Amino acid sequence: MAVDEHARHELHNRLDDVLGAEMATTLMRHLPPSGWGDVATRQDLEHLGDQVRAELHRELNATVQTLTRTFVAGNVALVVTVAGL
């Protein structure tokens, strides 16, 4: 259930009546503005970090393979050229 601004305002008013203005404001500041469903957990961030590291590792491996092939092909061409002279 999404909490709209009206519901938040009503909650703040009730907390103000029960706890007092300062405590009500402090408590409301600890609540996320859009609901707990929109807040990432530490586990979410760790999973995302694992995915990013895995993708980076794949891309780095592909780049190293491409550069190695290019380097070897260039050196072979250079050796053949020098040998032909």
Side-chain angles (χ1 to χ4, degrees):
M1 176 179 95
V3 177
D4 61 5
E5 285 303 309
H6 177 72
R8 290 178 63 84
H9 183 69
E10 291 295 316
L11 175 62
H12 186 269
N13 286 342
R14 181 69 177 123
L15 289 171
D16 193 8
D17 294 341
V18 174
L19 301 174
E22 186 176 340
M23 290 180 77
T25 300
T26 300
L27 182 58
M28 291 301 292
R29 286 183 179 162
H30 283 84
L31 298 176
S34 57
W36 288 107
D38 296 330
V39 176
T41 65
R42 179 174 292 155
Q43 192 174 29
D44 293 334
L45 296 176
E46 287 172 356
H47 180 67
L48 179 61
D50 291 343
Q51 289 177 326
V52 168
R53 279 189 289 279
E55 180 64 25
L56 182 61
H57 185 72
R58 280 191 294 275
E59 288 183 24
L60 185 59
N61 279 342
T63 301
V64 167
Q65 287 177 357
T66 301
L67 290 174
T68 300
R69 286 186 196 115
T70 303
F71 179 74
V72 169
N75 281 334
V76 168
L78 180 64
V79 167
V80 169
T81 302
V82 170
L85 294 175

